[in-house]
Amino acid sequence: MGRTGDLVPRIKMHWLGWLLLATATAQGAALDEEFLAARDAYQSSDAVRLEKHARTLGGHLLGGYVDYWRLSLKLQKTAPEGVRGFLTANRDGPLAERLRSEWLNVLGERGEWELFNAELPRLVNRDIEVTCYALRSRMRAHPEEALREARSLWFVTRDLPDSCTPLLDSLVAAGVISGDDLWTRIRVALEAGRVSHARWISEWLPAGEAPEPRTLERAAANPAGYVERAGHNLRTRAGRETVMFAVHRLARVAPPLAARHWTRLEQRFAPEERAYVWGMIGYLGALRHDPEALSWYARAGELSDLQLAWKVRAALRVQNWREVLAAVDAMSERQRSISAWRYWKARALKATGRAAEANALLQPLATEFGFYGQLALEELGEKIAAPATGYRPGAEDVRAISRRAGLRRALELYRLGLRAEANAEWQWAIRGFDDRELLAAAELARRHEVYDRAISTADRTVGLHDFELRYLAPYRDVLKTHTTQLALDEAWVYGMIRQESRFIPEARSVKGASGLMQLMPQTARWVASKIGLKNWRWSQVTEVDTNVGLGTYYLRHVLDALDGQPVLASAAYNAGPNRARAWRPESAMEGAVFAETIPFTETRLYVKNVMANATYYAHTFSQQLQSLRQRLGTVGPQRESEAAPGTDALELVMSSGLPMESGR
């Protein structure tokens, strides 16, 4: 009887606990809805609706965001005291930086230079708009000094904001920008195919000296036809530059034809103009793997770093090590210091009998983690190995780091699905962390299944490393099932997913790819039909098992279509099977050279990272490291019997719009 009597209050307490938990959960869900509704109102610039939702969010962990949204919508009318109050209250996060940048742009637009100059030193990262306002402010007191500094803006290749236009006008009016400077920037715009931008720049040329807009458009639309027609006016610079543009525009699709036309025309041009066009033809020929690229480069003059990079790649494809060495040595000091060119220079030195000099370059490079560090280590005859874990954070370390306000806000934003804001909070919070703090933060992210932050945070350490955090392997039971069924290298698949999504199931790219293996809608639909997946819906793409099932099937498909060669299949997964086939050499080529000479920047970096990742994952899974060179293998020409049924229809799906390198 007594025990039964004791049981009744315990049952009541149990149900009371559940009731309180349910109530708290419901209240939390309601606050989440209010917060997201407030954000939606801000994004719609609806201040009235924002105020309505903001009233319920007092004391919220993310209350600073509500205050920021309110201020941002009425910044033009807010007194300086109100802005500074927010900046002080939120100085520990990225919102203060964001609002300060917006406020500086408002002050610059109004010409309130005293307030602008007082606030400017507190801005951590200046964008180009604030930079232009800052230079305009300095021009009032030190015009010559400000104009000299502003000159570098003239050669920025992207579009500049309106805040820069008065500065550019002043540069031209003061003669700081010469006629040659104007034409240099017009050339850069035309090299990138940006005809409208070139026309905008040409408005600063003296009257009658600008290229005819319709003529530029004709040269862009039909370069072969434009070059072939007679009667070009080559007495003016505008006429000559337009013909030169048409020639290198033609070289983007048909370098040999462009070279033939330029051989016919070049005697009517100045030596500098001849050399410039040959440099462009050589560069664009190298991008298309034309065997004549080096001969065109030989007729060029001074080359940009980008052109020299592709001269190295053209030389690598024909194993001309002396040209590799000469091209790397001609690069700027900054470009020569990049890992790729240090490695290939070392290989060139070794190939030309200068082993001691080669090893002097390889030894420091071999201490780096990544594609070239692994290759350098193997070149020195050593084996790749993940470094020993020098420190692993304990429970108290993780608890201590979890109390940091910025990380708390970031985790709350991740929970709400606001990844852009969460990433900004996380990156701001870990600025200045030492290795121990970084590893503790990485472990915190892992525990909350924010795998991309765990990886990127662990990647930042300098002296203490934890490769189990850098190369996380979540969802292994799911992946192992599919990789085993399809006889795929598990380490390679993990290396690919790390590069594709960093293990975020809801990851979405700007091109529309989704899920762990970043599938495009048509690709997923095609594979679903192949494997007989019934009632397929696009909403299933973020389900881990479904996404991995579809992605690994497609990966097996392209691997079979491309000689079972992982480096080729990696390129195909990113850029499409037909492109990967088109990049195959005419004779057998070292896999590292093939990877280095992929024309698409995104795909080239992707393939290198995937293959380097796979090496470390192999270590994680089996404690045995396969040589990266062995993984890369040898890439040979396409066999006549090689076929890839069904892949043609996927070409536009897998890689629509991937650009080749352009610009100077």
Side-chain angles (χ1 to χ4, degrees):
M1 182 74 178
R3 276 184 291 186
T4 305
D6 291 341
L7 185 61
V8 173
R10 283 204 299 271
I11 292 172
K12 287 182 178 178
M13 289 298 295
H14 176 76
W15 281 106
L16 181 60
W18 273 108
L19 181 61
L20 290 171
L21 178 62
T23 302
T25 302
Q27 289 173 341
L31 282 175
D32 289 349
E33 288 179 14
E34 288 292 328
F35 182 81
L36 293 171
R39 179 177 179 269
D40 182 66
Y42 163 70
Q43 292 184 321
S44 303
S45 299
D46 189 337
V48 174
R49 187 157 56 93
L50 172 58
E51 285 300 325
K52 174 188 169 186
H53 295 294
R55 291 190 199 104
T56 65
L57 293 165
H60 195 283
L61 174 60
L62 300 175
Y65 281 82
V66 180
D67 295 338
Y68 164 74
W69 297 332
R70 286 164 146 173
L71 266 176
S72 183
L73 288 183
K74 58 181 181 181
L75 196 54
Q76 291 279 1
K77 300 176 182 178
T78 303
E81 295 75 20
V83 178
R84 284 178 172 149
F86 175 88
L87 296 176
T88 300
N90 294 274
R91 60 183 175 274
D92 68 334
L95 289 177
E97 175 81 354
R98 188 170 165 185
L99 190 74
R100 182 174 282 117
S101 181
E102 291 176 18
W103 191 36
L104 285 167
N105 285 326
V106 168
L107 295 174
E109 186 180 6
R110 291 176 182 167
E112 295 183 25
W113 300 119
E114 188 175 342
L115 275 174
F116 180 93
N117 292 331
E119 198 59 41
L120 181 65
R122 299 183 180 94
L123 187 69
V124 177
N125 300 306
R126 296 188 191 182
D127 61 18
I128 193 73
E129 190 167 8
V130 171
T131 297
C132 284
Y133 279 130
L135 287 167
R136 285 169 61 183
S137 176
R138 286 180 56 197
M139 277 186 64
R140 296 160 58 246
H142 307 286
E144 291 184 9
E145 179 184 310
L147 284 173
R148 280 198 303 273
E149 190 174 334
R151 190 176 187 276
S152 61
L153 288 171
W154 183 259
F155 301 99
V156 172
T157 55
R158 66 181 185 276
D159 289 336
L160 295 173
D162 292 342
S163 64
C164 298
T165 302
L167 201 59
L168 300 179
D169 288 337
S170 298
L171 285 168
V172 176
V176 176
I177 297 299
S178 67
D180 282 342
D181 292 332
L182 286 163
W183 279 109
T184 296
R185 194 159 173 220
I186 291 169
R187 277 186 182 180
V188 170
L190 292 175
E191 286 170 12
R194 300 173 65 200
V195 175
S196 60
H197 190 66
R199 289 200 336 244
W200 175 71
I201 300 162
S202 67
E203 291 175 7
W204 275 292
L205 288 167
E209 293 187 17
E212 170 60 42
R214 280 184 237 168
T215 305
L216 279 177
E217 285 162 8
R218 282 197 297 270
N222 183 12
Y226 186 83
V227 172
E228 287 167 2
R229 75 176 181 83
H232 295 297
N233 180 9
L234 301 181
R235 293 189 300 276
T236 68
R237 180 152 189 183
R240 295 196 306 278
E241 293 284 350
T242 304
V243 171
M244 291 155 62
F245 164 55
V247 172
H248 70 68
R249 180 82 169 183
L250 178 59
R252 294 180 73 85
V253 293
L257 182 58
R260 287 198 294 275
H261 280 301
W262 190 237
T263 299
R264 173 177 59 84
L265 292 167
E266 67 172 324
Q267 292 306 318
R268 300 171 66 189
F269 289 76
E272 181 276 332
E273 293 167 333
R274 294 180 214 162
Y276 164 73
V277 175
W278 281 120
M280 288 299 298
I281 295 173
Y283 158 62
L284 292 164
L287 271 172
R288 298 188 70 85
H289 298 156
D290 195 295
E292 293 298 311
L294 285 179
S295 67
W296 298 327
Y297 267 126
R299 302 170 75 174
E302 185 177 348
L303 300 171
S304 69
D305 278 340
L306 179 59
Q307 291 171 330
L308 286 165
W310 277 98
K311 186 175 182 181
V312 171
R313 294 181 178 117
L316 285 172
R317 285 184 76 91
V318 295
Q319 296 290 280
N320 188 331
W321 293 107
R322 295 192 183 281
E323 286 284 15
V324 169
L325 197 56
V328 174
D329 284 342
M331 292 174 177
S332 67
E333 184 177 352
R334 182 178 178 183
Q335 185 79 356
R336 285 198 306 273
S337 69
I338 292 172
S339 300
W341 310 131
R342 287 154 58 205
Y343 173 74
W344 290 116
K345 179 175 180 177
R347 288 284 303 277
L349 287 167
K350 204 167 185 179
T352 52
R354 297 159 66 180
E357 293 174 74
N359 290 341
L361 282 175
L362 291 169
Q363 283 163 358
L365 183 58
T367 64
E368 298 177 10
F369 307 123
F371 187 77
Y372 296 104
Q374 291 182 21
L375 288 175
L377 202 62
E378 291 181 358
E379 198 66 37
L380 291 168
E382 300 178 36
K383 290 184 178 180
I384 300 165
T389 301
Y391 167 75
R392 189 157 279 153
E396 183 51 43
D397 299 310
V398 178
R399 273 196 298 273
I401 211 77
S402 72
R403 291 192 284 268
R404 303 288 181 99
L407 297 183
R408 287 177 62 220
R409 289 192 297 267
L411 291 173
E412 182 69 1
L413 289 162
Y414 284 123
R415 187 184 67 78
L416 292 169
L418 304 179
R419 295 198 64 84
E421 292 93 335
N423 287 346
E425 280 283 2
W426 189 276
Q427 291 302 104
W428 190 272
I430 65 173
R431 292 179 316 136
F433 274 17
D434 62 25
D435 283 357
R436 290 173 182 266
E437 291 170 315
L438 287 169
L439 291 174
E443 175 60 19
L444 177 68
R446 185 196 66 78
R447 293 183 184 187
H448 284 268
E449 298 184 3
V450 188
Y451 297 125
D452 60 333
R453 290 307 99 190
I455 291 168
S456 65
T457 305
D459 261 343
R460 293 167 66 110
T461 59
V462 177
L464 298 173
H465 306 294
D466 186 340
F467 268 48
E468 288 184 22
L469 283 171
R470 285 196 185 199
Y471 294 90
L472 287 174
Y475 315 117
R476 194 163 180 207
D477 289 345
V478 175
L479 264 82
K480 201 165 186 63
T481 298
H482 292 287
T483 55
T484 301
Q485 286 175 350
L486 294 165
L488 287 170
D489 175 7
E490 185 187 14
W492 177 48
V493 176
Y494 262 95
M496 186 168 286
I497 296 175
R498 185 184 191 269
Q499 199 61 28
E500 289 283 357
S501 66
R502 294 286 172 97
F503 305 103
I504 299 301
E506 303 82 17
R508 284 181 170 80
S509 76
V510 293
K511 295 172 187 171
S514 292
L516 287 186
M517 297 193 72
Q518 289 291 279
L519 296 167
M520 294 290 281
Q522 288 172 261
T523 308
R525 187 164 57 246
W526 181 83
V527 177
S529 69
K530 285 287 182 183
I531 64 176
L533 188 61
K534 296 180 180 179
N535 303 315
W536 160 251
R537 302 182 310 281
W538 174 243
S539 60
Q540 296 171 265
V541 77
T542 56
E543 296 171 4
V544 172
D545 186 59
T546 302
N547 187 280
V548 171
L550 296 172
T552 51
Y553 180 92
Y554 182 73
L555 189 56
R556 179 77 252 179
H557 177 76
V558 294
L559 185 66
D560 290 341
L562 294 164
D563 291 350
Q565 170 53 266
V567 72
L568 270 173
S570 298
Y573 195 88
N574 183 261
N578 283 345
R579 286 192 175 115
R581 278 195 214 95
W583 296 334
R584 298 185 74 153
E586 293 182 0
S587 57
M589 174 183 292
E590 180 186 340
V593 173
F594 172 83
E596 186 62 69
T597 59
I598 292 171
F600 292 172
T601 306
E602 178 188 313
T603 306
R604 185 168 64 253
L605 296 175
Y606 174 87
V607 168
K608 293 176 189 177
N609 285 325
V610 165
M611 301 308 292
N613 290 347
T615 305
Y616 287 126
Y617 274 114
H619 175 72
T620 299
F621 296 154
S622 67
Q623 301 301 310
Q624 293 179 357
L625 283 172
Q626 183 184 9
S627 160
L628 178 57
R629 274 198 172 182
Q630 288 176 328
R631 283 188 173 277
L632 292 167
T634 300
V635 178
Q638 180 175 323
R639 300 190 309 251
E640 287 185 16
S641 60
E642 184 181 299
T647 56
D648 290 349
L650 295 177
E651 289 302 311
L652 295 177
V653 181
M654 294 304 297
S655 55
S656 57
L658 281 173
M660 291 197 294
E661 289 187 281
S662 62
R664 297 176 68 78

